[in-house]
Amino acid sequence: MGKIKLVSSELRRNGFVNGLLGIYLFMALIEIVAEYSFSTFFVLITKPFLMPLLLIMYLIKRRKPNLIYITSLVFAWLSGVFLMFTHYQFVLIGTFFSLLFFGAIVYLVYTISRISNVIFFVICCAPFLLGYLFFIVMANEQLENIYYLFVLQSICMILLGGFASSSYILHPNRSNTYLFISITLFIVSQFVLILKPRISIHFYQPIQTILYIFAQYIFYEYVVFEEKRRRYYEIKNAI
């Protein structure tokens, strides 16, 4: 009887999460269309709700949520809210919270995906280091006063790139696939953002938004799957 109730409760939670996922994707679609059509109003009423939706999905899904991941979503939300405005102080604050977000997920990924081969990890960091060095030089004049925050953020992304690629190559399982895809999308979205002023294409901002939104969702799947996998092994070892 207890097992039936547990299964029923799990099905209800999954139903709620799927419903929230549908809302997340719908609001994301509205934001993307609004950015393409330069509709500031619809961006303002959709973008602030995306990270809270992910947070609610996560809290429903997991009985013992990870506080680091929750904190990272709060930082991502604050960053997104401040970066909706073009005033220098808001951009500075938004970039700072973006740095805190990526710093938090560096720590989170480190605690989940331990480095099994340090030398291979360093080798995997090398391509990301070269790529970010190029963009750091390119962005020097463009980013001005937030340049050093971008440099610190780039260091976080280099480490995440090394974590994701080395874990995926050495252990190509479902969890590391999620991690690799999400970090790749985060990195590409940053590159698109830096290239935007240099290449005048109308849909650059919507592309960056699409990449970021899916990166956040796939990273959520990575965290949920890893926690579920760890819980399974804890129960199995306790038997």
Side-chain angles (χ1 to χ4, degrees):
M1 192 69 174
K3 189 174 181 181
I4 293 173
K5 286 184 178 179
L6 187 64
V7 172
S8 177
S9 175
E10 183 71 22
L11 289 173
R12 281 199 303 270
R13 283 203 302 272
N14 288 338
F16 283 134
V17 170
N18 290 337
L20 289 170
L21 174 59
I23 297 171
Y24 176 84
L25 294 175
F26 178 70
M27 296 191 79
L29 178 62
I30 293 175
E31 183 193 346
I32 292 162
V33 173
E35 287 180 343
Y36 182 78
S37 58
F38 298 105
S39 177
T40 305
F41 172 76
F42 283 103
V43 172
L44 290 174
I45 64 173
T46 54
K47 191 169 187 175
F49 293 98
L50 293 176
M51 292 306 104
L53 280 169
L54 269 186
L55 176 57
I56 296 169
M57 287 164 57
Y58 177 68
L59 293 175
I60 293 173
K61 196 79 173 176
R62 307 307 305 151
R63 291 191 182 91
K64 294 181 179 179
N66 188 309
L67 291 178
I68 301 298
Y69 180 59
I70 292 173
T71 303
S72 75
L73 286 177
V74 173
F75 288 150
W77 175 71
L78 289 169
S79 173
V81 168
F82 281 106
L83 290 175
M84 286 192 297
F85 307 97
T86 56
H87 190 278
Y88 161 70
Q89 289 183 333
F90 288 126
V91 173
L92 180 63
I93 295 170
T95 305
F96 176 70
F97 279 119
S98 180
L99 171 62
L100 292 181
F101 163 70
F102 285 115
I105 65 172
V106 166
Y107 179 76
L108 180 62
V109 171
Y110 172 74
T111 58
I112 294 175
S113 303
R114 295 286 183 176
I115 300 173
S116 58
N117 188 317
V118 176
I119 295 175
F120 191 67
F121 165 73
V122 173
I123 292 171
C124 288
C125 284
F128 299 98
L129 174 62
L130 293 174
Y132 269 99
L133 282 176
F134 173 75
F135 280 96
I136 284 170
V137 172
M138 180 186 293
N140 189 9
E141 295 180 1
Q142 177 186 330
L143 297 178
E144 297 180 349
N145 293 324
I146 63 169
Y147 175 72
Y148 293 106
L149 289 176
F150 175 72
V151 171
L152 292 173
Q153 196 175 114
S154 298
I155 294 171
C156 291
M157 299 312 297
I158 291 165
L159 294 173
L160 286 170
F163 275 128
S165 55
S166 61
S167 298
Y168 178 73
I169 293 170
L170 293 176
H171 309 286
N173 53 33
R174 181 177 171 183
S175 172
N176 290 331
T177 301
Y178 282 144
L179 178 62
F180 181 76
I181 293 172
S182 64
I183 298 304
T184 300
L185 291 175
F186 277 128
I187 290 173
V188 176
S189 73
Q190 279 197 330
F191 286 176
V192 168
L193 195 62
I194 295 299
L195 287 171
K196 182 184 173 183
R198 298 174 179 271
I199 304 176
S200 57
I201 299 178
H202 178 62
F203 49 83
Y204 248 62
Q205 185 58 44
I207 289 174
Q208 194 271 333
T209 300
I210 291 169
L211 293 168
Y212 183 80
I213 286 170
F214 278 99
Q216 285 284 8
Y217 174 70
I218 296 170
F219 190 78
Y220 152 84
E221 288 285 357
Y222 159 73
V223 174
V224 169
F225 183 81
E226 267 297 318
E227 290 179 357
K228 189 183 294 184
R229 186 179 67 85
R230 288 192 172 197
R231 181 63 178 161
Y232 169 78
Y233 282 113
E234 285 175 4
I235 294 172
K236 187 177 179 181
N237 292 332
I239 297 174

